Amino acid sequence: MSEVKRKGQAAKLASYSLVSISTEEKNEALALISEQLIIDQMSILTENQKDLEEGKGRGLSEAVLDRIMLNEKRIQDMAHAINLLIELKDPIGETIETIEKENGLFIKKSRVPIGVIGMIYEARPNVTIDAATLALKTGNAVVLRGSSSAKFSNMALVHSIHNALAKSKVPVDAVQLIEDTRRETAKELFQLNEYLDVLIPRGGKNLIETVVRESTVPVIETGAGNCHMYIDETADQSMAENIVLNAKLQRPSVCNAIEKIIIHEKWFEKHGKQLVEKLQENSVDIYGDETVTHEFKSISAASEEDWAIEYLGLTVAIKIVSTLYEAIQHINTYGTKHSEAIITSNEEHAAIFLNNVDAAAVYHNASTRFTDGFEFGYGAEIGISTQKLHARGPMGLHALTSSKFMIYGNGQVRS
Amino acid sequence: MSEVKRKGQAAKLASYSLVSISTEEKNEALALISEQLIIDQMSILTENQKDLEEGKGRGLSEAVLDRIMLNEKRIQDMAHAINLLIELKDPIGETIETIEKENGLFIKKSRVPIGVIGMIYEARPNVTIDAATLALKTGNAVVLRGSSSAKFSNMALVHSIHNALAKSKVPVDAVQLIEDTRRETAKELFQLNEYLDVLIPRGGKNLIETVVRESTVPVIETGAGNCHMYIDETADQSMAENIVLNAKLQRPSVCNAIEKIIIHEKWFEKHGKQLVEKLQENSVDIYGDETVTHEFKSISAASEEDWAIEYLGLTVAIKIVSTLYEAIQHINTYGTKHSEAIITSNEEHAAIFLNNVDAAAVYHNASTRFTDGFEFGYGAEIGISTQKLHARGPMGLHALTSSKFMIYGNGQVRS
């Protein structure tokens, strides 16, 4: 039996015992993991060093190396995040719905774990801890498959988790790491319907597209954000400037930062120059449609491709429209259904935009940067779903649960 | 542009206008469809006749021809079902959750349509009407792809729907039928991620497996039910017999009928003979494990394959166990996660069974035949989900909805 099959099966078996483990027992296990990470920090850092050296040898960029890098502070942050997770309410066992039938049948819809969650992710060892602890909090087993560039770090972290679980009521098998990081093992996970209930990719566009295309296991698509800010005719000038600068600059490399600005022609006539100057003062590269490039010789023309791309950096493209509907249509054509915003003083326009734009999160007069499980108050985030089934938008603990109908009778039969 | 792409795109565009259509307007459109089916019944029956003749020519079985066959009564039943659907509460626009942040942001999670639903199904023209009207009730556009054996009937039914929609506020394009029923068009639908938000197969095991394997569009898996009834040591004899006979015989061809009986050895010693006789009196073919075949020479041995199969007819396999845990383990190994039941007077055993058996619906002292959207009181059913994401068990109108975060601010930016 291959490593993937063997570990998938072990996780499945563990998931069956996890349904009988209490909230207290799960929290005890999490506390043990938090402590163990601190106890094991020297060995974790030693293993992390191997990844970093191998990465340097292979010429990985500074940005990627920074994502892989662990230090005492980062390990302490992980341990601290687990302590916060312990405080969160356990969603498992909640009654979602009850139905009493005339024949005396009592139907209860309860919240239960999903079962086994497959996580496939890129070179961020913190996802190993994140995914494992969020899964355990919600009574799920997890099969982790990280990147080869963080192989030694991931093995050390999972070793630490296993040490902790061995002292707890949670079976050690509940957390599995696929150590063989060749492409073949990812492909095997894509088809592991027998043991995986869901597969969640976390990483760049290519990873997510591959998983969606190749996986027969149900996938929760997370990630890509080609987010737009639409500045309507009646938008307050300073509010619009503030929000645009925040949504573009506060952290340009993340999925909820804006990539495009759509501006009503009348607002653009009055305030376009100042907005463009502010963006340029902040080193933002600007592409524009014909109206914009005609007005500003310093701005290059946006290509068709620009409207669809997620720059993830200090770049933005600006398009001028003559109606709200043109803005909505553009967003529904090129958006990735992540986060979209309108700035306007016209309440009716706001309502039309919020209703008609097809995205997980739609904003009136606020920055798209708020699309985040912690900002929404969920206390945890497994990712941001851009699909419409199961979970949409920031996914907290509830997104890692399923439901089950429990039906209590005293001999009822169907007639 | 191919028929599938063209119609997928038209449905997507229609879905954008559907979000602005009120409950009243949707119900008016449904009422018009209900009327139109009666108005058009002669032409629908004429077209249905063509399918039946073609089917006879191709040697389709009586059972399949009966599924394809329409008559005045069946058309009236369709029209009546639409009138009942109109009465159901519209889930769209419901507030699921509200969050007020200290910075003044107000976050509202609302229930919204999914967008475009792809339905792929076998030779039952009633699914055409069912799927189209459930989709419209929940503000979704739908792309229908039925079987070639019901081609003329489906075209006539959709023609009737279009006639009705033309008089309503709902765009005619909201309901699309793929008329080309060659295998290639199904394959094209599987990859139509640009326009479809979900694909729901309705039909036999092969259809469902093909869709799960080949579709990159998110799928809701429905259907297969290898359901078990476990008779525990302390089960009341007459209750057990009643429930088993109901769950096996009331409608043997459906997914929530039982296919396997697991019996505790002590109960089997005392009451096994009578149960077997009652099943045999009702013409049920029985396969058994070693204990059963040793006891009853008239019973053939069950093969490994028997434990996994869904007979969908007057056949059952019986297995004897010596503990509750053995029963649970067998069910979790061979079950299809549909409906599973325990008959017992031991409350603790019931709780362990209901918690540990991994299925959409788990029963204590009742027939598995109740797993049904109408029996659960949902007033509608698009299918029974056997997967764990999005919807599990009978899917009513809520299963055809998604959610959307609407965030209201007055200039908030993230710090």
Side-chain angles (χ1 to χ4, degrees):
Chain A
M1 205 184 252
S2 71
E3 185 197 4
V4 170
K5 279 230 173 72
R6 186 165 46 77
K7 292 187 172 174
Q9 189 183 50
K12 192 71 180 176
L13 287 174
S15 78
Y16 289 136
S17 38
L18 276 168
V19 297
S20 309
I21 284 173
S22 70
T23 300
E24 292 67 36
E25 290 166 340
K26 291 188 289 188
N27 284 338
E28 273 165 34
L30 290 172
L32 287 164
I33 295 174
S34 174
E35 285 165 23
Q36 194 72 39
L37 288 176
I38 303 297
I39 296 171
D40 294 343
Q41 73 178 306
M42 286 315 298
S43 58
I44 295 169
L45 292 179
T46 308
E47 296 303 301
N48 181 246
Q49 203 52 42
K50 290 191 199 166
D51 283 327
L52 291 173
E53 273 158 30
E54 231 184 68
K56 276 177 208 151
R58 285 166 48 221
L60 293 182
S61 73
E62 279 305 315
V64 174
L65 289 171
D66 182 63
R67 278 183 221 147
I68 296 170
M69 194 260 287
L70 295 176
N71 54 30
E72 291 193 9
K73 168 78 170 57
R74 287 185 176 184
I75 291 177
Q76 277 158 20
D77 286 349
M78 287 177 183
H80 181 62
I82 298 172
N83 294 333
L84 295 178
L85 181 60
I86 292 171
E87 299 302 317
L88 293 184
K89 191 175 173 307
D90 183 358
I92 299 303
E94 280 176 10
T95 299
I96 301 168
E97 184 184 2
T98 58
I99 306 163
E100 282 188 64
K101 298 284 296 173
E102 280 179 14
N103 62 6
L105 270 190
F106 181 75
I107 304 173
K108 187 171 82 169
K109 188 177 182 182
S110 286
R111 201 171 286 287
V112 299
I114 289 182
V116 183
I117 296 169
M119 285 288 304
I120 181 158
Y121 51 102
E122 289 173 348
R124 290 182 186 270
N126 63 311
V127 176
T128 304
I129 295 297
D130 245 35
T133 55
L134 287 169
L136 292 180
K137 176 80 188 186
T138 44
N140 292 292
V142 67
V143 178
L144 303 164
R145 203 281 193 186
S147 155
S148 61
S149 336
K151 180 173 59 190
F152 293 110
S153 314
N154 288 337
M155 281 166 64
L157 290 168
V158 170
H159 185 70
S160 195
I161 292 175
H162 284 167
N163 283 342
L165 293 184
K167 303 177 213 160
S168 83
K169 294 277 171 59
V170 171
V172 168
D173 275 347
V175 177
Q176 300 286 343
L177 176 73
I178 306 301
E179 297 182 0
D180 179 349
T181 51
R182 286 173 306 159
R183 197 171 290 264
E184 289 76 6
T185 63
K187 284 189 183 289
E188 224 185 323
L189 272 180
F190 296 162
Q191 313 288 330
L192 203 64
N193 298 56
E194 195 178 353
Y195 302 125
L196 297 187
D197 295 294
V198 60
L199 193 54
I200 306 177
R202 264 180 62 173
K205 198 163 169 275
N206 283 345
L207 171 70
I208 291 165
E209 282 177 0
T210 306
V211 175
V212 167
R213 193 174 55 242
E214 300 193 10
S215 177
T216 56
V217 175
V219 171
I220 298 180
E221 200 173 335
T222 63
N226 178 26
C227 305
H228 300 74
M229 183 74 63
Y230 169 57
I231 305 176
D232 197 22
E233 182 179 352
T234 62
D236 176 83
Q237 184 186 6
S238 79
M239 187 194 284
E241 287 174 358
N242 272 339
I243 295 180
V244 162
L245 293 177
N246 180 263
K248 183 68 241 172
L249 296 169
Q250 201 245 354
R251 205 169 162 206
S253 66
V254 292
C255 59
N256 58 15
I258 57 166
E259 306 288 354
K260 308 291 144 53
I261 308 169
I262 320 279
I263 306 178
H264 190 278
E265 57 188 12
K266 295 211 173 131
W267 195 95
F268 183 69
E269 267 171 38
K270 279 185 258 173
H271 312 299
K273 187 159 182 293
Q274 278 124 305
L275 182 69
V276 163
E277 281 170 8
K278 292 212 164 155
L279 286 165
Q280 287 174 334
E281 279 163 21
N282 283 284
S283 315
V284 177
D285 277 339
I286 305 177
Y287 293 90
D289 70 359
E290 271 193 7
T291 314
V292 177
T293 53
H294 185 261
E295 200 70 31
F296 300 95
K297 300 303 164 201
S298 61
I299 294 180
S300 316
S303 66
E304 173 66 19
E305 203 186 315
D306 274 292
W307 303 119
I309 213 169
E310 192 183 5
Y311 299 118
L312 295 171
L314 285 177
T315 307
V316 79
I318 300 178
K319 180 185 170 70
I320 309 305
V321 294
S322 43
T323 66
L324 168 66
Y325 296 96
E326 203 184 331
I328 293 172
Q329 201 181 6
H330 180 90
I331 294 171
N332 282 343
T333 306
Y334 294 99
T336 52
K337 306 187 191 325
H338 192 297
S339 300
E340 307 291 354
I342 181 173
I343 308 172
T344 187
S345 306
N346 182 327
E347 293 291 329
E348 201 191 326
H349 278 199
I352 292 170
F353 184 93
L354 266 55
N355 261 323
N356 287 278
V357 165
D358 188 20
V362 282
Y363 291 81
H364 176 207
N365 289 348
S367 171
T368 53
R369 287 280 295 115
F370 289 108
T371 305
D372 176 285
F374 295 93
E375 288 294 327
F376 277 22
Y378 293 159
E381 186 191 279
I382 193 78
I384 295 171
S385 163
T386 52
Q387 67 178 36
K388 294 191 180 174
L389 294 189
H390 187 69
R392 193 177 191 201
M395 297 190 287
L397 295 180
H398 278 80
L400 296 183
T401 69
S402 181
S403 63
K404 183 179 193 174
F405 287 103
M406 296 181 169
I407 300 110
Y408 303 87
N410 47 23
Q412 283 83 351
V413 295
R414 186 161 167 189
S415 50
Chain B
M1 206 183 251
S2 71
E3 185 197 4
V4 170
K5 279 229 173 75
R6 187 166 46 78
K7 292 188 171 172
Q9 189 184 50
K12 192 72 181 176
L13 287 174
S15 78
Y16 290 135
S17 38
L18 276 167
V19 298
S20 309
I21 284 173
S22 69
T23 300
E24 291 66 37
E25 290 166 338
K26 290 189 289 187
N27 284 338
E28 273 164 32
L30 290 172
L32 287 164
I33 295 174
S34 174
E35 285 164 25
Q36 194 72 38
L37 288 175
I38 303 296
I39 297 170
D40 294 342
Q41 72 177 308
M42 286 314 298
S43 58
I44 294 168
L45 292 179
T46 308
E47 295 304 301
N48 182 245
Q49 202 53 43
K50 290 191 199 165
D51 283 326
L52 290 173
E53 273 157 29
E54 231 184 69
K56 277 176 207 152
R58 283 165 50 219
L60 293 183
S61 72
E62 279 305 315
V64 174
L65 289 172
D66 181 63
R67 277 183 222 147
I68 296 171
M69 195 260 287
L70 294 176
N71 54 31
E72 290 192 11
K73 168 78 170 58
R74 287 185 177 183
I75 291 178
Q76 278 159 21
D77 286 348
M78 287 176 182
H80 181 62
I82 298 172
N83 293 334
L84 295 178
L85 181 61
I86 291 170
E87 299 303 317
L88 294 183
K89 191 176 173 306
D90 183 359
I92 300 303
E94 280 175 11
T95 298
I96 301 168
E97 183 185 1
T98 58
I99 305 162
E100 281 189 66
K101 298 285 295 172
E102 280 179 15
N103 63 5
L105 271 191
F106 180 75
I107 305 173
K108 186 171 82 168
K109 189 177 182 183
S110 286
R111 199 169 288 287
V112 299
I114 288 182
V116 183
I117 297 169
M119 285 289 303
I120 182 158
Y121 51 103
E122 290 175 347
R124 292 181 185 272
N126 63 310
V127 176
T128 304
I129 295 296
D130 245 36
T133 55
L134 288 168
L136 292 179
K137 176 80 188 186
T138 44
N140 292 291
V142 68
V143 178
L144 303 164
R145 203 282 194 185
S147 155
S148 61
S149 337
K151 179 174 62 187
F152 294 110
S153 313
N154 288 338
M155 281 167 63
L157 290 167
V158 170
H159 185 70
S160 195
I161 292 173
H162 285 167
N163 283 341
L165 293 184
K167 302 176 214 161
S168 82
K169 294 276 171 60
V170 171
V172 168
D173 275 347
V175 177
Q176 299 286 344
L177 176 73
I178 305 301
E179 297 182 1
D180 180 349
T181 52
R182 285 174 306 160
R183 198 172 288 266
E184 289 77 6
T185 64
K187 284 189 184 288
E188 224 185 321
L189 271 181
F190 296 162
Q191 313 288 330
L192 202 64
N193 297 55
E194 195 178 354
Y195 301 126
L196 297 187
D197 294 293
V198 60
L199 193 54
I200 305 178
R202 263 181 62 173
K205 196 163 169 277
N206 282 346
L207 172 70
I208 292 165
E209 282 177 1
T210 306
V211 175
V212 167
R213 193 174 56 243
E214 299 192 12
S215 177
T216 56
V217 175
V219 171
I220 298 181
E221 201 174 335
T222 63
N226 178 25
C227 305
H228 300 73
M229 182 74 61
Y230 169 57
I231 305 177
D232 197 22
E233 182 179 352
T234 62
D236 176 81
Q237 183 186 7
S238 78
M239 187 195 283
E241 287 174 358
N242 272 340
I243 294 179
V244 162
L245 293 178
N246 179 264
K248 183 68 238 174
L249 296 169
Q250 202 244 354
R251 204 169 162 205
S253 65
V254 293
C255 59
N256 57 17
I258 56 166
E259 305 288 352
K260 307 291 143 53
I261 308 170
I262 320 280
I263 307 178
H264 191 277
E265 57 188 12
K266 295 211 173 130
W267 195 94
F268 183 68
E269 267 171 37
K270 278 185 258 173
H271 313 298
K273 188 158 179 294
Q274 278 125 304
L275 182 68
V276 162
E277 281 169 7
K278 292 212 166 160
L279 287 165
Q280 288 175 334
E281 279 163 21
N282 282 284
S283 314
V284 178
D285 277 338
I286 306 177
Y287 293 89
D289 69 0
E290 271 193 8
T291 314
V292 176
T293 52
H294 185 262
E295 200 69 31
F296 300 94
K297 299 305 163 201
S298 61
I299 293 180
S300 316
S303 66
E304 172 67 18
E305 203 186 315
D306 274 293
W307 302 119
I309 214 169
E310 192 183 5
Y311 299 118
L312 293 172
L314 284 177
T315 308
V316 79
I318 299 179
K319 181 186 170 70
I320 309 305
V321 294
S322 43
T323 65
L324 168 66
Y325 296 95
E326 202 184 332
I328 292 172
Q329 201 180 7
H330 181 90
I331 294 171
N332 282 343
T333 307
Y334 294 99
T336 52
K337 305 189 192 323
H338 192 295
S339 299
E340 307 291 353
I342 182 173
I343 307 172
T344 187
S345 305
N346 182 325
E347 293 291 330
E348 200 190 328
H349 279 198
I352 292 170
F353 184 93
L354 266 56
N355 260 323
N356 286 277
V357 165
D358 188 20
V362 284
Y363 291 81
H364 177 207
N365 290 348
S367 171
T368 53
R369 287 281 293 115
F370 289 109
T371 305
D372 176 284
F374 295 93
E375 289 294 326
F376 278 21
Y378 293 159
E381 185 190 277
I382 193 78
I384 295 172
S385 164
T386 52
Q387 68 178 36
K388 293 192 181 172
L389 294 188
H390 188 67
R392 193 179 193 201
M395 297 190 288
L397 295 180
H398 278 81
L400 295 183
T401 68
S402 180
S403 62
K404 183 178 191 174
F405 288 103
M406 296 180 170
I407 300 110
Y408 302 87
N410 49 21
Q412 283 84 350
V413 296
R414 187 162 167 187
S415 51

